[in-house]
Amino acid sequence: MSSPLSPAPDATDPAQPAVAVRRLTLAALFTAIISAIFVDLHILAVAGAAIWAFANTLHFGLVGLALVGALIGAPALWACWKVVVMALEAERNWQD
C-alpha cells in the first residue's frame, strides 16, 4: 500500500502497475445517492427519536431540547456525511 506522499507511478516504467480509474457513471451516481439517502434517513430517524426521548424523559424546555439536539445532531450529521462519501467511493471503486 503506497503512502499519499509517495510519487505517482510513472506510465513509462513497466515495473509500476497501471492504476485503473473508474469514472462515476450516471447509474453509479444514482445508486450511490439512493443508498446514501436510505442509510441517512435511518441515522436521522434514530437521532431524532433519541433527542425526543431524552429531552422528554428529563422534562427539558426548549433550551435543553436545543442543547440535546446539538449534542446528538452534530455526530449524526457527521455520520450522514461519511455515509455519502463512502457510498460514492464504493461506487467508484467497485472492482477493489
Side-chain angles (χ1 to χ4, degrees), residues 3-44:
S3 149
L5 299 177
S6 64
D10 188 11
T12 59
D13 188 12
Q16 295 288 340
V19 178
V21 176
R22 181 173 184 255
R23 294 189 181 187
L24 195 60
T25 63
L26 185 61
L29 181 64
F30 184 71
T31 303
I33 289 172
I34 293 300
S35 60
I37 288 172
F38 179 73
V39 175
D40 286 348
L41 283 176
H42 286 87
I43 292 171
L44 294 175

